[in-house]
Amino acid sequence: MRLCFLVEEHYRHDGMPVEVIHQLTAWGHQVDVLRPGGSLLRMTDLVRAGSHDAWVLKTVSGGPGLTLLEAAAAVGLTTVNDARAIRGVRDKALAAAVGRGRGLPLPPTYAAARPEILLAEIPAAEYPLVVKPADGSSGRAVHLVSSPERLAAMLPELAAEGMLIAQPYVPNSGVDIKVYCVGGELYATERRSPLHPQRPARERRVPVPAEVAAIAAEVGEVYGLDLYGVDVLLGPDGPVVVDVNDFPSFRQVPDAAARVARAVLDLARAGGAPAPLTATVPRPQERRGPDGPPPLAASAVRLAAAAGETL
């Protein structure tokens, strides 16, 4: 197969997607790599219908790669993930509105173009707040704000972040669960929350709790994602979704490069349609070939609002 990977400079040497590209090449597939942020792009030539079996995006939030992926999708080419789905989760304000509207357990979410609007209009009873950019990623500029006075002191720092979202803080142990979906299977890691950097916690693989598995599967359906990650907190009232990422790092997923590469090939052959999601124990790989390993087991605005272990 012939695949096109859109890779921003930020991920040029990152294991995900570099190792996936190497794996696909080792299996005999042709992989073209475009770096949208560092190249002059002749758009009409790049998106010629039939040039590639699928286009795959690994870019920073707000980078130019998503525009190119959307151009490919507009002329009927297969993209991984779906271009509209990516846009929907990278805008965290939009993702919160869609998710709560579809019944996902997300916190109540406020959005404002200027931080002083958040300060003026969010009730004091909602504090402490988690405030972050609506287009943020990788834990960038995520703040736990204890009071209106603290938010007032942060206004100059927040002013450069563009659209902001704010959510009431969900009490938790200081540990996040990151659930990855790849090839129709779920994997989970536990790691220290960026809101609690002082808490001693090492990143490690953990079983996927039944309730979390059901929510992670629903996230893919709600947002239309095939390869994705979900950040979950275990709050006093149950699991809460605090972030959704398209094409995440897949850290701690066993044999991640091969699994992601296989999922990309399967999606390319299926024209982007995702595999049914399962939450079963992955079977050992028994063979490899030119197509990869064997298939895996299957003003401030308040936004409206297969379980089992896989390791």
Side-chain angles (χ1 to χ4, degrees):
M1 303 190 80
R2 186 178 179 188
L3 305 163
C4 181
F5 273 67
L6 305 171
V7 182
E8 300 280 11
E9 291 300 313
H10 179 78
Y11 295 109
R12 184 171 183 175
H13 303 293
D14 196 83
M16 189 66 60
V18 172
E19 293 175 7
V20 175
I21 293 169
H22 289 166
Q23 182 67 84
L24 288 165
T25 302
W27 289 339
H29 301 283
Q30 181 178 338
V31 181
D32 298 322
V33 179
L34 292 178
R35 296 192 171 88
S39 305
L40 176 65
L41 306 175
R42 187 167 177 172
M43 300 290 290
T44 51
D45 291 344
L46 287 172
V47 298
R48 279 198 314 274
S51 297
H52 295 91
D53 295 290
W55 290 58
V56 185
L57 178 67
K58 180 64 176 178
T59 74
V60 295
S61 183
L66 183 52
T67 296
L68 187 52
L69 193 80
E70 289 174 324
V75 297
L77 303 182
T78 297
T79 65
V80 180
N81 287 286
D82 178 83
R84 291 169 298 179
I86 294 173
R87 181 75 71 180
V89 296
R90 290 197 175 183
D91 182 336
K92 298 182 188 303
L94 174 60
V98 171
R100 280 182 67 87
R102 294 281 298 275
L104 289 174
L106 280 84
T109 303
Y110 297 87
R114 302 195 308 276
E116 63 269 25
I117 298 176
L118 291 177
L119 178 63
E121 299 194 24
I122 293 182
E126 296 280 46
Y127 287 80
L129 291 172
V130 177
V131 179
K132 54 189 173 182
D135 65 348
S137 61
S138 302
R140 177 183 66 82
V142 178
H143 303 279
L144 180 57
V145 183
S146 58
S147 65
E149 293 75 21
R150 177 58 185 151
L151 182 57
M154 296 176 62
L155 291 183
E157 178 182 358
L158 295 172
E161 295 294 348
M163 177 72 77
L164 297 167
I165 66 169
Q167 299 168 323
Y169 172 72
V170 177
N172 65 89
S173 66
V175 173
D176 292 353
I177 296 177
K178 183 82 170 190
V179 184
Y180 298 108
C181 178
V182 54
E185 292 183 343
L186 298 176
Y187 301 85
T189 66
E190 181 182 84
R191 62 187 184 185
R192 182 175 56 240
S193 167
L195 298 176
H196 300 280
Q198 76 286 351
R199 188 190 188 283
R202 66 182 181 87
E203 184 172 323
R204 63 191 183 98
R205 281 175 30 206
V206 295
V208 186
E211 190 175 8
V212 172
I215 291 169
E218 190 176 1
V219 163
E221 296 176 3
V222 167
Y223 295 111
L225 294 167
D226 307 313
L227 294 169
Y228 61 93
V230 186
D231 290 349
V232 178
L233 294 178
L234 300 181
D237 298 320
V240 178
V241 174
V242 293
D243 203 8
V244 179
N245 309 110
D246 65 278
F247 209 115
S249 66
F250 297 103
R251 290 204 304 266
Q252 301 291 342
V253 172
D255 205 9
R259 291 180 185 278
V260 173
R262 178 68 197 191
V264 168
L265 292 175
D266 288 345
L267 289 164
R269 293 191 181 101
L277 187 66
T278 63
T280 57
V281 177
R283 295 177 298 187
Q285 295 179 7
E286 299 173 351
R287 63 173 173 82
R288 293 180 184 274
D291 290 334
L296 304 177
S299 47
V301 180
R302 185 167 182 173
L303 302 175
E309 296 186 358
T310 64
L311 303 173

